[in-house]
């Protein structure tokens, strides 16, 4: 069986495991106060060209989103997001459990556009009853989006501008950021993101790490005592160095970008191969997630040799499925898949 | 420098790292639905002699406490705990962030005793104003306690009885459970705990794992949809097998107990050596944490060669400090320490 | 100026004020344990033909919704509601502040229909990822709706059936219930509501009381210690008899229905008068709120003599406005309004 | 039977009811935007000599405390209070339901003293583990306290100084403020309170109003969008003028102070009468609550003619009971009581 279900099916990049082995019996202080965390933070600050950034390592994505959003909002505020956003749909109400409403805008290929946000803010500001409503207190986007699509540099800059105009922070969920940065025609770099966003996170779990997400706060004045909030939200790892070591390896010699590029090459090969064979895609995704429209009979046949994710019903006789590549995808598996269909 | 600061200064037991290496490139489904989790759960059920137990793996202790307590309580209920309990003091308000009050009882050597709990419940039930008060909805204990002390089998059985009498669940925080089970004169086994408690967790982070805690729900009817709550609370690991693999190793060939015993041997040697040299202990701890009363000048001198934790001020010229052994403590370090003091 | 802005512009029905005067210097125990509350509860039980109902008096609507929803849901659950529902839009995030997501369905004239709810539940139950999603734990409807429309008896019965099928409670927000019960062609009575809903509230604030809402729990086994939850949520009035007295008066000699009928007569006269003059309505409302589509110039002219609520933009040159009658509306004011337009 | 159970057994001062009658059929806009609220706010500002104060009217005390505390704290912060404080004991966990821990200090006659707070803050600031702990984010006191005692002007000034030193706000719960201001030897005035506290509330429910509490924010920059938070917390009254009218009457011609003085005269007469007859008091209370130590047999006999509150067990054969006077206490009832004992 060939597995393209998701981008978190394997362990970690071998260099990471190697470093974990090598350092295993060292004794370091806990909770991220060790030298590996310090080193990793410095490398990330440099990669973002943001020397003043405050950086924290958390374990997983839902936890990271819930913690950052709780840190940024006051209790009468909500977070603006695409209706397809991860926080809107697949985090089991983590944001609401923290007391905040997710204020949804209709997604455009998984994205929310600057003009949508601007219009939403204007409408809210002009609503005579807005004192009875949840105040939009920040904007959440993800890059790549749930649909594998990417913002352009201009869109991010404009989103940043709109947010500053309305005095609310912009937060970017980068669970799959490595695959976004490595995409072929993107003009979005870590530096661009650090410039446009007030807070964002660099995903490790889906991009080569065993687990872990690096929160980058580019405007540290926005958030006080984030460490304590992380502890309260259950996101603080006792052996914090495990996160530092992983991100230190990922940000050494551009490993994070390099393994992203591998996943993209695999995804492009998969996409082009399937296009040649006449398959249709749900939308054009430049990243590691590919969304295929399959005739239901084809789907059943394919599922005997390939494991993938059900995405959604397209119409009665067709289904959208997702195939994901990642840093560990073997080219031979792509070849096998293309031969078999 | 000799490090006795805490029991989470190293990585993982070598057998765990070995298994993580060996399985690294396998592809498994996410979120704990893999075969390693299944295997680990079965081994834990057997070790607890509780075949019906529902088992979940979470990443860390604060997260586990917050999630279990949220699962067990209704919104008008609080959790009864020792005033020295971890949830009362060092979890940054995680329980309150979930909406629940910690109802504290004065600790007796870190413990709360069955008769204290019974009296508290009776007093609450007889209070004419109790409808205006937080209802005690469960009892939280830890074993070993924050002070390294242990409940006896009889105390646990009596606590279980009191809780059943008042129809509230008993929950045991086992962050350091391995060191409790391995103590020299204890009559408390995993089976006893599983029989007395409705929910408890077996700590991995401090007992040989990189991270991870195994929640054992011995009365699964008490808790519905715990998986979703874990997701909501940010405790669900995408690569869930990392937890399954670790606990599978720990519960193979009694490794969990064996490494516990090592830590206890080291702690006993340390304690006896220091007693011989005339040092005084804050209380008699049968587990891996030892609390020493030091003259402040001795403390300063000692701190040049040994790293330990400040615990609390004893009186003007004396301080209580904590030294912790663990699964990885080298006997040579104990010898060196004893020679140096 | 003629005021038709809302249904809460005056104080209370004179009979209520009279009774408050008459009882003012009596001394009664607090928090709703007095004889007036007892009497009012009995009258409401009788009016609902539901002798086993548990009844609580709260002060306001948002508070009531937040408290009931918190009482009915577990932390991983959300409440299904129309996207136009009051809890979705104008309660400043009170439901989310309590930790719960509002799961919205597209409104049909302000309502959600049984088949919508059924389909939503089926889709959720069949979703392979539903363990990662907020579980729908109850259904919220309002009657009349935000748009003044009414459910039919059959719709309520079917909603009740769908909810029982999926084992979730049905909750009805009756902020304006008196105006719904008094509508001309409705077949929905208090008895029907008590039979179909697990919990509902009878609105006082907008229907003749100074303030106050009566929560009717027709299945008391569903909710434990509601009193304590009301206290916790800030909904418990120290001088609870103020609520008992008001509802006792409202449920004596059918006053609640009678004043509802007056408001409906006034609304019908207003509607018919405006229809005759060629005005257009946004939808057909059988209750005390009437939604008018006005040419913007007409609107400006009208607003010089009549005060009303802006509802929403219809198109560039037209606006939807709301005019509300209530128990206190003077027929002379309707006549004046109709003469003036 | 003579009733001295509490200070909320009657309705409202006759002047308030009169004004409610007089204004009953006026039509005013909702939610506190009417002229009566405006007028009441101005009178309160003047009485506090604090022209810049932001004032909001809420319905009840628990709600007010929960809302103010939620407005002032960030999620990692808790509120410092006496262990006997109302928020610590009798608000059913309302503060924790809002996500915040109550950090208790041992009460001294119901009070917490400036040096206690200062020491607590210093200890917290010096604790090496404080990043893992709830941060003290504000101080809560009540005046009069739960035990009827009063702060002195100097104590309030010092508390204010300590709070400013540590950069946390001071909040005063004035549920019974009128009885505190009217006490015989107090040097604390509304002006003093407004100068020392960042937020406080003037209690109406227990001091002549049907219900209602006036929140005075003397440093409006501390709290943004309080109106929306009040709405979210269920504390916003639709017919907001009911609160405005009541406080407008209470702050006309010093009514609030005058009725306070009456209650104090009655309490003093009661106290002196009982002292003469040899009764013993639990502590010296200068306000409207008097705490009597009764032999249990005396208590049983007394309870046949007088209704009072059980406070706590004193020792096996004695009990502490509370008798409360208020604005409505008839002198004849005091005479009768004194004759009967």
């Amino acid at each position: 069986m060939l597995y393209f279900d998701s981008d978190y099916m394997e362990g970690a990049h071998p260099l990471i495991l190697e470093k974990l082995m090598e350092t295993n019996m060292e004794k370091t202080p806990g909770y991220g106060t060790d030298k590996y965390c310090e080193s990793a933070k410095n490398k990330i600050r440099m990669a973002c060209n943001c020397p003043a950034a405050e950086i924290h390592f958390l374990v997983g994505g839902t936890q990271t989103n819930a913690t950052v959003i709780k840190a940024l909002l006051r209790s009468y505020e909500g977070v603006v997001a695409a209706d397809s956003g991860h926080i809107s749909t697949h985090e089991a109400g983590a944001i609401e459990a923290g007391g905040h409403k997710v204020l949804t805008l209709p997604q455009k290929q998984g994205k929310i556009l600057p003009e949508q946000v601007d219009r939403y803010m204007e409408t809210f500001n002009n609503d005579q009853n807005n004192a009875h409503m949840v105040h939009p207190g920040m904007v959440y986007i993800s890059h790549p989006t749930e649909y594998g699509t990417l913002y352009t540099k201009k869109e991010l800059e404009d989103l940043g501008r709109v947010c500053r105009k309305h005095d609310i922070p912009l937060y970017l969920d980068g669970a799959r950021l490595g695959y976004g940065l490595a995409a072929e025609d993107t003009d979005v770099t870590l530096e661009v993101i650090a410039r446009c966003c007030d807070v964002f996170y660099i995903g490790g779990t889906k991009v080569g790490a065993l687990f872990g997400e690096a929160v980058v706060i580019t405007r540290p004045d926005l958030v006080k005592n984030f460490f304590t909030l992380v502890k309260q939200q259950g996101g603080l790892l006792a052996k914090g160095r495990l996160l530092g070591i992983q991100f230190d390896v990922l940000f050494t010699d551009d490993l994070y970008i390099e393994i992203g590029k591998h996943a993209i090459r695999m995804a492009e090969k998969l996409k082009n191969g399937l296009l040649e064979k006449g398959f249709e895609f749900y939308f054009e995704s430049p990243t590691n997630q590919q969304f295929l429209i399959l005739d239901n009979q084809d789907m059943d046949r394919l599922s005997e040799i390939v494991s993938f994710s059900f995405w959604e019903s397209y119409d009665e006789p067709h289904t959208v499925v997702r195939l994901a590549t990642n840093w560990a995808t073997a080219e031979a598996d792509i070849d096998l898949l293309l031969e078999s269909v």
Side-chain angles (χ1 to χ4, degrees), chain A:
Chain A
M1 182 69 85
L2 303 170
Y3 295 94
F4 290 90
D5 308 49
S6 76
D7 31 24
Y8 44 83
M9 300 191 80
E10 294 90 358
H13 191 277
L15 286 175
I16 284 179
L17 265 203
E18 211 172 273
K19 191 75 178 180
L20 287 175
M21 289 291 276
E22 188 189 315
T23 58
N24 189 49
M25 296 308 288
E26 284 181 26
K27 290 167 190 276
T28 57
Y31 305 113
T33 59
D34 61 277
K35 65 182 174 184
Y36 297 105
C37 286
E38 203 40 48
S39 167
K41 289 177 185 182
N42 282 332
K43 287 178 182 167
I44 290 173
R45 284 190 195 100
M46 213 167 318
C48 296
N49 193 19
C50 187
E54 182 179 320
I55 293 168
H56 296 263
F57 299 116
L58 280 81
V59 175
T62 296
Q63 183 187 93
T64 301
N65 287 333
T67 306
V68 168
I69 289 168
K70 193 148 187 176
L72 289 173
L73 295 184
R74 302 297 317 214
S75 44
Y76 53 85
E77 294 176 327
V79 49
V80 177
D83 50 10
S84 58
H86 207 249
I87 58 168
S88 314
T89 56
H90 285 97
E91 298 194 347
I95 308 311
E96 292 83 3
H100 300 290
K101 194 180 190 77
V102 181
L103 302 160
T104 53
L105 298 180
Q107 54 85 14
K108 316 283 179 191
Q109 298 197 290
K111 301 192 271 185
I112 48 174
L113 302 179
E115 50 274 23
Q116 278 181 288
V117 173
D118 195 30
R119 209 174 322 119
Y120 185 84
M121 294 303 298
E122 297 289 357
T123 305
F124 176 82
N125 288 335
N126 293 328
D127 191 320
Q128 295 165 12
N129 286 319
N130 64 13
H132 294 247
M133 295 161 68
V134 175
H135 292 222
M138 65 181 286
V139 171
Y140 163 96
I141 57 175
S142 51
H143 181 87
T145 69
E146 290 294 291
Y147 295 168
T149 53
L150 291 175
Y151 286 87
T152 63
K153 181 179 162 192
K154 178 159 190 337
E155 285 169 344
L156 285 184
E157 287 172 346
D158 288 350
L159 274 170
R161 233 186 311 275
V162 166
C163 287
R164 278 190 299 277
K165 170 181 163 192
H166 294 289
D167 199 21
I168 56 176
L170 176 61
Y171 167 54
L172 181 148
D173 174 338
R176 295 187 169 93
L177 188 53
Y179 305 129
L181 297 173
E184 280 180 3
D185 297 317
T186 185
D187 53 1
V188 172
T189 62
L190 264 181
E191 217 181 310
V192 167
I193 290 172
R195 199 154 26 77
C196 299
C197 299
D198 300 292
V199 187
F200 66 99
Y201 84 82
I202 301 171
T205 300
K206 292 171 179 168
V207 194
L210 286 173
F211 58 87
E213 328 293 334
V215 173
V216 182
I217 308 177
T218 62
R219 280 186 45 203
D221 56 304
L222 269 182
V223 176
K224 280 176 64 180
N225 294 308
F226 193 71
F227 180 95
T228 301
L229 192 59
V230 173
K231 172 75 182 175
Q232 185 189 79
Q233 298 290 301
L236 192 63
L237 203 61
K239 300 180 181 175
R241 80 178 190 215
L242 299 177
L243 293 160
I245 288 167
Q246 294 187 83
F247 276 97
D248 197 54
V249 172
L250 286 172
F251 280 83
T252 299
D253 298 337
D254 279 336
L255 181 64
Y256 191 68
I257 301 297
E258 287 311 314
I259 64 180
K261 282 186 180 160
H262 171 78
I264 296 300
R265 271 196 306 273
M266 294 303 102
E268 290 294 316
K269 179 165 184 172
L270 176 70
K271 176 165 58 176
N272 294 330
L274 290 171
L275 280 171
E276 273 171 33
K277 287 174 186 277
F279 284 92
E280 225 181 311
F281 285 82
Y282 192 36
F283 22 58
E284 160 60 18
S285 158
T287 59
N288 74 313
Q289 299 182 89
Q290 296 296 327
F291 300 86
L292 210 50
I293 302 171
L294 286 181
D295 178 281
N296 289 346
Q297 289 180 338
D298 287 357
M299 182 173 70
D300 290 346
R301 221 170 314 123
L302 193 61
S303 70
E304 282 165 30
I305 47 163
V306 183
S307 183
F308 44 74
S309 289
F310 167 85
W311 195 252
E312 63 187 64
S313 227
Y314 182 77
D315 57 20
E316 186 89 33
H318 294 88
T319 301
V320 180
V321 305
R322 184 190 71 174
L323 284 82
T325 66
N326 74 357
W327 57 274
T329 302
E331 187 151 9
D333 282 0
I334 305 280
D335 291 334
L336 265 173
L337 189 155
L338 291 175
E339 281 164 31
S340 324
V341 294

